[in-house]
Amino acid sequence: MSDTLEVLYTSDLSEQQWSCCAWDYKTATSLMVYKGGGAVNARCFCFVGNSHIISANSAKPLFHVWPINSQEQISSVRFVAPGKANALAISPDGNYLVAGIQETLYIWQISSGRMLANLSKHYQAITCIKFTDDGSHFVSAGLDGGVLVWNLPQVICNGDHNQEPLYSFNDHGLSVTDVHIGSGGIRAYLYSVSLDRTCKIYDLSSGTLLLNIVFTESLSCVASNNLETSVHVGTTEGQIYEFYINSLPRTKEYHMTKENVNKYLGHKGTVSCLALSVDGETLVSGGEDAQVHLWHIPSKQLIRTLAHRGPISNVVLSLRKLSAFGPENTFLNMFTNNLKRMMDSADADESHTIDVLVEENDDDDEFDITHQITNRSFVAGPAALGSNTEEVETLRQEIKKLKNINRKLFSISTKNILNS
């Protein structure tokens, strides 16, 4: 165990030095830098097993993969997504990749690159995706204020975009900015924070809201220690608050004030991400002020600051052996095929389904959408195919207009509420 240490991984949005970096945070020593992946989007940094790192580009519809011990990313296969990813998660066993692109969830099998499912149950862009520690379920949250819990095996087996989530939590009034899932699989607690100034705690086994904690500022990120006795939340005003679960009154809703909560002061601007060390002694916070702060939790003192070139998008702590960064190590490449941008026709009922490929330009993102037309009495002749293609194109344009109107209305109403 003497060779094992807790490594801090950070990324920012500057794209000037590297895409992400591994640190020995106790000595502020850089262990490895990962280059060529552009700026890494927030909530889009994950590990694939113990051997690889995957991230999503903040400006392009691309995923980037690096071996743990290499500065250069894998170039043998292409990781092109249907659009720019807002959120990314890898199952704990390293077999499945889930990405949130606008308001749709896409699920791939990593080894084959096959798209297994796409789910469209959010009404606004997805902001965060997290797996339970056993990999049986995952949670997605979005700008629409919804937090959806999905059963992974059920989603993969059905592959239906109309499939319903296991639970739908719609208690937040504004955008959900982050979620955290404790240990215990489906019996774990789920913590969600939002711009509506609340942190909500759910019981995943029963799908019930246990506690609603109201703060005086909008919340941007959340993390808890391994025992889940204390919870840390970051705010859009630069504060980090800590509260203890066991000390809260046994009420359904509790209002936190600046006097009855522990806080960490040091960031200027929004606190974008948080991470806690395994021993519960160190808190790592990243902010839009391009600073990564390391705090000593018992004393609430700032230990060290790691300066970056741009707003911090991700901070992640992970146990690693120092020897893993040695160039002599060779890891098995689990990425053998390009990621498919649509579901295989073999996954659908070929006798009743036609896949029509339509090019769509949505703001800055260009991606293909597969429209599946199901009609048991439909005969796929050339004339009929052309007629239905025109109908699909007309409907697609109408949907695009409605989505743009909905986004503008949501953005305006959110700004008015926050400014009032």
Side-chain angles (χ1 to χ4, degrees):
M1 292 297 290
S2 61
D3 185 39
T4 302
L5 59 85
E6 196 167 16
V7 179
L8 170 64
Y9 297 85
T10 65
S11 66
D12 61 42
L13 299 176
S14 68
E15 199 178 346
Q16 295 183 19
Q17 294 177 299
W18 26 255
S19 295
C20 48
C21 183
W23 306 81
D24 179 355
Y25 67 87
K26 294 183 179 179
T27 61
T29 304
S30 174
L31 301 174
M32 181 67 66
V33 294
Y34 304 94
K35 301 179 179 180
V40 180
N41 213 359
R43 317 280 188 261
C44 290
F45 179 94
C46 301
F47 297 105
V48 185
N50 293 318
S51 58
H52 291 79
I53 293 172
I54 184 169
S55 70
N57 195 294
S58 63
K60 301 176 182 178
L62 296 173
F63 299 135
H64 304 278
V65 180
W66 297 268
I68 288 288
N69 61 341
S70 174
Q71 294 184 3
E72 304 301 325
Q73 59 182 307
I74 294 175
S75 58
S76 57
V77 292
R78 298 184 64 205
F79 306 99
V80 182
K84 185 179 68 176
N86 306 318
L88 182 69
I90 301 292
S91 61
D93 58 10
N95 290 328
Y96 302 102
L97 183 154
V98 183
I101 300 174
Q102 292 300 326
E103 62 272 9
T104 303
L105 287 165
Y106 294 87
I107 303 175
W108 286 274
Q109 184 180 44
I110 290 178
S111 58
S112 65
R114 290 177 55 218
M115 183 184 292
L116 302 177
N118 58 75
L119 309 167
S120 299
K121 290 300 177 182
H122 283 279
Y123 300 101
Q124 296 290 333
I126 295 167
T127 56
C128 186
I129 304 171
K130 291 289 178 66
F131 270 93
T132 57
D133 58 1
D134 64 356
S136 62
H137 295 75
F138 65 93
V139 174
S140 62
L143 295 177
D144 55 2
V147 179
L148 308 183
V149 182
W150 304 90
N151 183 306
L152 180 63
Q154 185 178 0
V155 167
I156 291 174
C157 291
N158 294 336
D160 185 2
H161 67 279
N162 290 321
Q163 184 174 329
E164 296 295 329
L166 178 64
Y167 299 122
S168 296
F169 303 130
N170 298 288
D171 303 296
H172 286 291
L174 293 174
S175 304
V176 178
T177 50
D178 195 14
V179 297
H180 172 77
I181 303 176
S183 59
I186 191 59
R187 294 180 176 85
Y189 287 162
L190 167 66
Y191 306 81
S192 63
V193 293
S194 168
L195 294 179
D196 65 2
R197 302 177 299 143
T198 64
C199 173
K200 300 183 188 295
I201 304 177
Y202 297 92
D203 181 2
L204 285 182
S205 62
S206 61
T208 57
L209 174 63
L210 300 177
L211 183 62
N212 179 34
I213 306 168
V214 184
F215 290 81
T216 58
E217 303 168 20
S218 297
L219 307 182
S220 54
C221 50
V222 60
S224 76
N225 62 359
N226 289 331
L227 296 177
E228 297 182 59
T229 55
S230 68
V231 179
H232 294 78
V233 295
T235 73
T236 57
E237 302 297 326
Q239 318 286 348
I240 302 173
Y241 294 130
E242 178 187 18
F243 62 91
Y244 299 94
I245 297 293
N246 296 334
S247 64
L248 296 177
R250 293 295 177 257
T251 59
K252 199 74 172 181
E253 181 171 300
Y254 182 71
H255 289 256
M256 285 286 188
T257 64
K258 295 182 178 180
E259 290 73 27
N260 64 358
V261 65
N262 297 315
K263 58 185 176 181
Y264 302 76
L265 304 175
H267 282 288
K268 299 178 181 178
T270 299
V271 180
S272 55
C273 41
L274 295 172
L276 274 80
S277 61
V278 173
D279 59 9
E281 295 285 319
T282 304
L283 170 68
V284 183
S285 62
E288 291 186 353
D289 55 1
Q291 304 291 325
V292 173
H293 291 327
L294 291 96
W295 309 85
H296 184 240
I297 293 178
S299 65
K300 308 296 184 295
Q301 296 299 311
L302 179 61
I303 304 172
R304 183 175 289 109
T305 296
L306 302 176
H308 288 60
R309 296 291 183 87
I312 308 301
S313 55
N314 296 276
V315 294
V316 180
L317 288 170
S318 178
L319 289 174
R320 287 283 184 270
K321 288 189 175 182
L322 279 176
S323 58
F325 295 99
E328 69 279 359
N329 290 324
T330 302
F331 298 110
L332 177 64
N333 183 12
M334 295 176 286
F335 300 85
T336 57
N337 292 288
N338 299 336
L339 293 182
K340 304 294 177 58
R341 300 182 67 184
M342 62 189 72
M343 293 181 62
D344 293 337
S345 58
D347 295 337
D349 187 351
E350 295 183 349
S351 61
H352 303 302
T353 303
I354 294 176
D355 292 340
V356 181
L357 188 62
V358 181
E359 295 289 334
E360 174 174 299
N361 297 324
D362 186 6
D363 299 331
D364 296 331
D365 303 327
E366 296 185 8
F367 57 93
D368 301 334
I369 296 179
T370 300
H371 292 276
Q372 295 185 337
I373 310 167
T374 303
N375 189 338
R376 297 188 179 274
S377 62
F378 177 69
V379 179
L385 181 59
S387 174
N388 279 272
T389 303
E390 294 176 0
E391 182 181 353
V392 168
E393 176 66 20
T394 301
L395 293 174
R396 186 184 65 79
Q397 293 295 336
E398 291 297 325
I399 292 174
K400 183 179 178 181
K401 291 179 182 178
L402 291 174
K403 284 183 177 180
N404 288 333
I405 293 173
N406 189 29
R407 287 171 186 156
K408 291 179 181 179
L409 288 173
F410 183 83
S411 177
I412 293 172
S413 61
T414 300
K415 290 180 181 178
N416 289 337
I417 292 174
L418 290 176
N419 293 333
S420 61

